[in-house]
Amino acid sequence: MTKRFAGKHVFVAGASSGINLGIAHGFAAEGAKLTVLSRSEEKIQAAARELRDAGAEALGIACDVRDYAGLEAAYAQAVAAFGKVDVLISGAAGNFLAPAVKLSANAFKTVVDIDLLGTFNVFRASWDHLAKPGASLIAITAGQAVHPMSFQIHACAAKAGVNMVTKCLALEWGPAGVRVNAISPGPIGDTEGMRRLADPEREKQIKGRLALRDYGEKRDIAEAALYLASPEAKYVTGTILNVDGGSDLGDAGANALAE
Ligand code: COA
Ligand code: NAP
């Protein structure tokens, strides 16, 4: 059977680990050529090796998404290797729990710079390098964008901005045949994000509040990205797709009929 993304160039920013590396593997299994980017040379080359071991053509580039000139050079290198970019994922992010009174202005700015400015940079710098018409852009956002959370004022503000960057670009770039969407994952097991936000003791409590009563898997987010990038989603743009076990619905524990 023909692989769904055979010959397509998929560029994933923030792909040295976790959900975004999982997305890269999802596209690799469907025949795509991968460019993966993150800050650490060592981690991103290990990720590229992992993708090559899985049978994909893969290029690793070390670059910080806060470095616009670095991103321009990264796209030039990626396009020289694999041609124009068909699918672009922007998922680099930083987060930690901190009460607002303990958060320095620089700490707030750091997270906004990585998540929000970084997403703008990754998308904006891609324009001349996108396969147009037909390119699909996907931001990785979070429930924090719409649900205020204590000790995450920085990530909530940043991800709210990511949702608006997604929607505004969808409006502006739609006429060129470029679709722009976002995925909002719920709690995904075995990720740095969940290690930072919830200790194992809280796991049961968090799961008990979810309609589907369990953490998601990286594969769940990869499947959503494959759908959004596919021809089957050709009329979908400007949407924020929750892949979150019902997290966005609120506390399901209180509403449960029976367990
Ligand atoms: N609580 C409060 N402030 C913190 C903090 C914490 N846990 N961690 C970092 N900061 C502050 C630092 O003190 C610094 O502020 P200051 O200059 O006023 O002292 C500021 O944040 C920047 O820290 P720095 O370590 O220089 O930033 P960085 O750019 O090297 O790293 C982070 C970015 C802080 C977001 C880091 O945690 C990171 O690299 N995260 C990526 C992985 C991740 O978060 N994964 C989950 C994704 S959801
Ligand atoms: P992760 O493994 O820490 O992934 C973050 C990635 O971003 C890493 O590859 C990191 O690599 C890269 N990165 C960080 N700062 C960067 C920068 N300035 N420039 C370039 N790359 C940078 O965390 P994760 O939990 O899988 O999260 C991935 C995405 O999913 C994030 O956007 C997060 O907000 C979102 N999300 C996660 C969850 C969850 O349950 N985990 C839930 C909702 C949303 P380097 O260190 O090499 O730079």
Side-chain angles (χ1 to χ4, degrees):
M1 210 169 82
T2 315
K3 293 188 171 180
R4 282 187 289 168
F5 287 87
K8 299 287 185 191
H9 181 184
V10 178
F11 188 115
V12 189
S16 66
S17 56
I19 289 173
N20 305 319
L21 180 56
I23 292 173
H25 272 289
F27 281 98
E30 290 292 347
K33 297 175 280 191
L34 273 304
T35 301
V36 288
L37 176 146
S38 82
R39 291 168 302 181
S40 154
E41 178 75 36
E42 195 185 331
K43 281 169 64 184
I44 204 63
Q45 294 310 339
R49 265 196 309 280
E50 199 180 294
L51 290 161
R52 286 194 293 272
D53 288 347
E57 285 184 72
L59 170 69
I61 302 177
C63 175
D64 193 312
V65 296
R66 294 168 284 191
D67 173 7
Y68 193 85
L71 283 171
E72 288 183 305
Y75 281 119
Q77 190 187 344
V79 169
F82 297 143
K84 292 221 169 188
V85 175
D86 297 288
V87 180
L88 172 57
I89 317 284
S90 175
N95 198 7
F96 48 80
L97 293 173
V101 291
K102 296 237 169 95
L103 195 69
S104 70
N106 187 48
F108 182 89
K109 179 179 182 300
T110 297
V111 171
V112 170
D113 280 356
I114 298 171
D115 294 25
L116 174 55
L117 182 63
T119 295
F120 174 80
N121 287 347
V122 166
F123 285 169
R124 171 66 187 87
S126 76
W127 176 252
D128 288 336
H129 308 286
L130 295 175
K132 299 189 280 289
S136 171
L137 276 49
I138 302 170
I140 306 302
T141 182
Q144 283 90 332
V146 287
H147 299 288
M149 292 184 199
S150 296
F151 315 138
Q152 292 189 67
I153 192 170
H154 42 338
C156 289
K159 292 293 193 183
V162 168
N163 285 16
M164 270 301 163
V165 164
T166 301
K167 292 180 189 198
C168 292
L169 269 192
L171 275 177
E172 287 200 31
W173 291 5
V178 175
R179 296 184 299 108
V180 190
N181 292 291
I183 297 171
S184 182
I188 303 300
D190 189 26
T191 60
E192 183 60 22
M194 285 313 287
R195 278 187 282 276
R196 285 175 179 231
L197 302 183
D199 54 49
E201 273 177 32
R202 282 199 59 218
E203 196 173 310
K204 199 164 167 251
Q205 202 185 355
I206 295 171
K207 288 179 179 171
R209 288 201 293 253
L210 287 167
L212 294 184
R213 294 291 193 273
D214 205 355
Y215 282 175
E217 298 171 355
K218 289 169 221 168
R219 182 76 211 165
D220 296 320
I221 309 305
E223 292 294 350
L226 286 164
Y227 163 69
L228 285 176
S230 74
E232 285 74 21
K234 70 179 175 47
Y235 204 50
V236 180
T237 197
T239 199
I240 313 293
L241 178 59
N242 293 325
V243 184
D244 67 354
S247 178
D248 186 59
L249 302 171
D251 185 348
N255 295 314
L257 284 176
E259 293 291 330

